[in-house]
């Protein structure tokens, strides 16, 4: 599927048939519906066109889908998701989820988060509202990516600015995180709770 932005709306197009599957002005809703339409076994690719996407109505939940790729068009990360004004209804604390998220600590989950295999996320940028004062007061913003319960993970060319943790991996086995940049976040890539066989290469944390 291909996510396109124009002056009027955001459209999800099936690249095989050309059919517009979903459209609207809320990027979160269009992306969430597009992801949930994919096969849980065979997965697919969600290709996000360059553009500036407001993330306000909620964060984006990565479903239990194997063989899934979520990616922008170019390594420059010009598909930008701005979550400075995000509203996550019913969430106890935004630090426990990401702008794109698979979180075992999401208090809104009403079922167990299954393990998935083969998740690729690349060529995206995320903006949050983390401040230095908030960090010192243990008031953390939403993460950029929060990835839990995944075997075979690839994250590359992801840029984060002023989020909580840039990339949080929990219970992840066999992963590569590379060519990622973290600007003024509470922390850069973070591994916790049984994450193993993880390679982090050519990643930078600034400020």
């Amino acid at each position: 599927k291909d996510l396109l932005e124009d002056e009027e709306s955001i459209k999800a197009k099936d690249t095989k048939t050309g059919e517009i599957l979903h459209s609207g002005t809320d990027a979160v809703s269009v992306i969430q519906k597009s992801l949930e339409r994919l096969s849980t076994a065979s997965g697919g690719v969600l290709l996000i066109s360059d553009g500036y996407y407001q993330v306000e109505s909620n964060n984006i939940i990565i479903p239990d889908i194997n063989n899934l790729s979520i990616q922008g068009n170019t390594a420059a990360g010009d598909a930008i998701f701005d979550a400075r004004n995000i509203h996550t209804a019913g969430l106890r604390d935004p630090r426990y989820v990401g702008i794109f998220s698979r979180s075992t600590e999401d208090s809104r989950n009403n079922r167990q988060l299954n393990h998935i295999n083969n998740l690729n996320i690349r060529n995206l940028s995320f903006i949050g509202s983390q401040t230095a004062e908030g960090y010192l007061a243990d008031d953390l913003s939403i993460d950029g990516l929060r990835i839990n319960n995944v075997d075979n993970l690839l994250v590359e060319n992801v840029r984060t600015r002023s989020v909580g943790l840039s990339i949080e991996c929990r219970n992840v086995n066999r992963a590569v995180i590379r060519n990622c940049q973290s600007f003024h976040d509470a922390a850069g890539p973070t591994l916790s709770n049984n994450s193993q066989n993880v390679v982090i290469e050519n990643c930078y944390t600034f400020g």
Side-chain angles (χ1 to χ4, degrees):
K1 294 179 176 64
D2 195 358
L3 193 73
L4 310 168
E5 183 184 35
D6 60 29
E7 294 182 357
E8 297 180 353
S9 65
I10 298 162
K11 301 180 176 70
K13 182 176 73 172
D14 188 317
T15 53
K16 293 181 179 178
T17 65
E19 177 189 0
I20 300 298
L21 303 174
H22 309 288
S23 66
T25 57
D26 181 6
V28 172
S29 176
V30 174
I31 292 172
Q32 196 68 65
K33 289 177 181 176
S34 299
L35 288 171
E36 291 170 356
R37 189 182 178 102
L38 295 172
S39 164
T40 57
S42 58
V45 177
L46 179 64
L47 180 62
I48 302 173
S49 297
D50 290 349
Y52 194 82
Y53 300 94
Q54 295 283 353
V55 181
E56 296 181 347
S57 63
N58 210 335
N59 64 320
I60 297 159
I61 307 300
I62 301 173
D64 290 341
I65 295 175
N66 296 298
N67 307 307
L68 173 63
S69 292
I70 302 170
Q71 60 190 58
N73 278 334
T74 63
D78 290 329
I80 301 168
F81 291 86
D82 186 342
R84 283 176 289 187
N85 295 311
I86 191 169
H87 176 66
T88 47
L91 184 64
R92 183 177 69 252
D93 192 327
R95 78 179 69 195
Y96 296 123
V97 301
I99 298 172
F100 276 72
S101 188
R102 282 183 56 78
S103 175
T104 56
E105 295 183 285
D106 189 336
S107 58
R108 302 165 299 180
N109 283 346
N110 54 18
R111 61 183 178 83
Q112 183 177 353
L113 188 70
N114 294 322
H115 249 80
I116 62 171
N117 191 38
N118 296 328
L119 174 63
N120 301 321
I121 301 175
R122 55 168 64 94
N123 305 343
L124 302 174
S125 293
F126 303 106
I127 303 172
S129 57
Q130 184 65 55
T131 63
E133 293 79 10
Y135 174 75
L136 293 173
D138 195 32
D139 180 15
L140 299 186
S141 174
I142 191 169
D143 294 343
L145 295 175
R146 193 172 183 94
I147 307 298
N148 299 171
N149 293 9
V150 176
D151 293 335
N152 300 307
L153 169 69
L154 171 63
V155 178
E156 62 180 347
N157 304 323
V158 167
R159 291 166 174 80
T160 55
R161 181 178 295 275
S162 301
V163 297
L165 307 180
S166 64
I167 302 163
E168 198 268 0
C169 295
R170 183 180 296 253
N171 203 16
V172 167
N173 185 29
R174 297 184 302 275
V176 176
I177 302 172
R178 64 185 175 214
N179 301 333
C180 296
Q181 297 181 350
S182 165
F183 297 90
H184 308 295
D185 302 327
T190 303
L191 310 178
S192 60
N193 286 48
N194 301 319
S195 289
Q196 56 188 335
N197 303 311
V198 179
V199 176
I200 300 176
E201 57 185 14
N202 199 33
C203 293
Y204 299 91
T205 300
F206 304 90

